[in-house]
Amino acid sequence: MELAVREVAPKNRKPRQKDESKLGFGRLFTDHMFEMDYHPDKGWHDPRIVPHHPLSLDPASMVLHYGQEAFEGLKAYRGKDDGVYLFRHRDNLKRMNNSCKRLVMPELPIDFISDCLKKLVLLDRDWIPTSTGCALYIRPNIIATDPFLGVRPSSTYLYYIILGPVGAYYPEGFNPVSIYVSDKYVRAVVGGVGDAKTAGNYAAGLLAQKEAKDKGFTQVLWLDAIERKYIEEVGTMNIFFKFGDEVVTSPLTGSILPGVTRDSVIQVLGKWGVKCTERNYSIGEVIAGLKDGHVTEVFGSGTAAIISPVKSIQYKGQDYQVGDGKTGPLSQKLYDYILSLQYGQQEDTFGWTERIDL
Ligand code: COI
């Protein structure tokens, strides 16, 4: 397949936010995007980089009614050497294909998409922020486009990638966040689509998220849907608890998103000789540990959230502070280390970081 490129004339390019402390998350978009169509007779075809533009969709498009879609979130980083780096981007593309399988959508050719994604990022490379913690967020999305109101998998699809410069995901910046344990709502159940990155999982979480926000919390901590007991994940990140010398996170049972940053944390802890166990653990165990001081650190992991320390947890109306409420030493060390890998500033023994501008 031949990639067509239609560039925005330099005089028509958008002004950029110069103050990177004001970037926030997900509000600004670059000049270009990637698109490609799927038709059962042609497969994936007509790949193109074009100006970022509104989509024109039939109002009957199946994605708008039945949510048949999958997306990804990854980032391009600008190193101190001005190099442009991607971090484990093929793992995101592979995860997207797993989401596609679950949502009965055609898989993407990973090598080709990887090439197109790099070309797109390099075309908009001037948008990549330079401050640590800021990056160019990359959002691939695949949507069902048949104009049809019966319930079945669509036969046509649009795949696109948009880009935007981002800073911290949470309004707290990189400071510790407070989370609220929902025992009223659930996010996903084993056998459902909880381990696919698909819009419905996020829509299902909005009411609990709103209630948490109204009560002054940053995010919701989800429990398992059957017993409402075991820790699963937080709204936009996986979650880790440090019990004494052991770090614990939930296993990938099928209802949890298999985070690329989650896997990186597990591997980095292994390299450092810190015991990290994937096991079921209950909210009761967490509360007991917070009360008697056995739980010393709690942090989330995600592409958008990076490593996000948690300062307090509310469960059944009771607030529990984590340690002294400040970022713990292990969370800080992980944040610094993973960021330095992502920005190409650390010898990468894992082979995760790829410089793409040479
Ligand atoms: C990411 O971490 O990239 C995500 O996709 C979370 C997102 C829903 C903001």
Side-chain angles (χ1 to χ4, degrees):
M1 270 190 293
E2 187 90 358
L3 174 67
V5 181
R6 185 157 57 84
E7 287 190 34
V8 178
K11 67 173 179 16
N12 294 333
R13 295 196 181 178
K14 297 180 229 175
R16 293 193 287 275
Q17 170 61 265
K18 294 278 180 283
D19 181 353
E20 295 185 353
S21 68
K22 297 214 167 69
L23 285 174
F25 182 90
R27 288 183 291 108
L28 304 168
F29 301 98
T30 65
D31 290 303
H32 299 92
M33 66 187 285
F34 172 80
E35 289 179 318
M36 182 164 80
D37 301 304
Y38 182 87
H39 187 279
D41 298 339
K42 294 188 186 170
W44 286 111
H45 63 281
D46 199 10
R48 55 211 183 263
I49 289 176
V50 289
H52 181 105
H53 65 98
L55 299 179
S56 163
L57 286 179
D58 193 294
S61 296
M62 294 185 81
V63 64
L64 302 176
H65 301 268
Y66 307 122
Q68 196 192 7
E69 75 88 56
F71 70 94
E72 266 305 321
L74 56 157
K75 284 174 174 170
Y77 306 86
R78 188 184 294 281
K80 292 240 182 319
D81 54 2
D82 207 36
V84 178
Y85 294 89
L86 293 178
F87 183 74
R88 304 190 70 176
H89 78 283
R90 294 178 71 91
D91 290 329
N92 287 92
L93 299 180
K94 282 184 204 148
R95 184 172 68 179
M96 185 150 194
N97 274 350
N98 286 335
S99 302
C100 286
K101 277 187 225 155
R102 181 63 181 83
L103 274 296
V104 205
M105 302 193 288
E107 290 176 51
L108 281 311
I110 291 188
D111 289 341
F112 181 72
I113 293 296
S114 164
D115 279 356
C116 297
L117 186 149
K118 289 177 190 170
K119 286 186 177 126
L120 178 66
V121 167
L122 290 177
L123 183 59
D124 278 343
R125 62 175 291 165
D126 290 350
W127 286 84
I128 309 176
T130 52
S131 331
T132 303
C134 297
L136 187 72
Y137 191 72
I138 304 171
R139 170 56 62 90
N141 202 5
I142 168 171
I143 59 172
T145 50
D146 277 6
F148 179 61
L149 296 185
V151 178
R152 56 140 173 87
S154 178
S155 56
T156 59
Y157 296 88
L158 172 68
Y159 176 80
Y160 63 88
I161 306 174
I162 51 175
L163 310 173
V166 297
Y169 182 76
Y170 297 122
E172 287 86 346
F174 298 107
N175 297 315
V177 297
S178 55
I179 54 181
Y180 172 80
V181 183
S182 172
D183 53 1
K184 183 165 159 203
Y185 305 109
V186 295
R187 172 186 173 273
V189 65
V190 175
V193 293
D195 59 351
K197 205 158 174 69
T198 186
N201 286 326
Y202 296 83
L206 291 178
L207 183 56
Q209 184 183 319
K210 180 183 179 304
E211 290 186 8
K213 190 161 179 255
D214 291 347
K215 291 182 170 52
F217 297 91
T218 320
Q219 280 283 312
V220 176
L221 173 63
W222 297 108
L223 301 179
D224 78 280
I226 309 287
E227 297 190 55
R228 310 266 170 116
K229 179 173 165 190
Y230 296 105
I231 307 292
E232 295 237 307
E233 65 181 77
V234 172
T236 54
M237 53 191 192
N238 296 113
I239 185 111
F240 293 78
F241 286 75
K242 184 165 180 280
F243 289 86
D245 291 334
E246 181 191 21
V247 177
V248 177
T249 196
S250 321
L252 299 177
T253 53
S255 55
I256 294 173
L257 191 79
V260 175
T261 316
R262 172 190 180 279
D263 181 68
S264 307
V265 167
I266 293 171
Q267 291 199 49
V268 167
L269 290 177
K271 177 186 156 98
W272 289 347
V274 177
K275 186 170 179 206
C276 180
T277 315
E278 293 171 73
R279 65 168 172 87
N280 285 325
Y281 59 111
S282 68
I283 184 67
E285 191 181 342
V286 163
I287 299 301
L290 287 169
K291 276 187 180 163
D292 69 11
H294 194 46
V295 170
T296 50
E297 293 189 43
V298 182
F299 59 88
S301 68
T303 299
I306 317 177
I307 298 295
S308 192
V310 174
K311 65 178 175 201
S312 68
I313 295 179
Q314 188 183 88
Y315 180 56
K316 293 196 185 293
Q318 280 287 326
D319 285 313
Y320 302 91
Q321 182 172 300
V322 181
D324 60 4
K326 304 213 171 70
T327 303
L330 185 65
S331 314
Q332 186 67 52
K333 192 172 164 198
L334 278 165
Y335 176 86
D336 293 340
Y337 186 78
I338 289 183
L339 236 68
S340 69
L341 281 175
Q342 292 173 331
Y343 286 81
Q345 281 162 237
Q346 177 79 236
E347 193 205 346
D348 175 14
T349 51
F350 297 99
W352 287 339
T353 310
E354 189 184 346
R355 183 164 180 180
I356 62 167
D357 59 322
L358 294 175

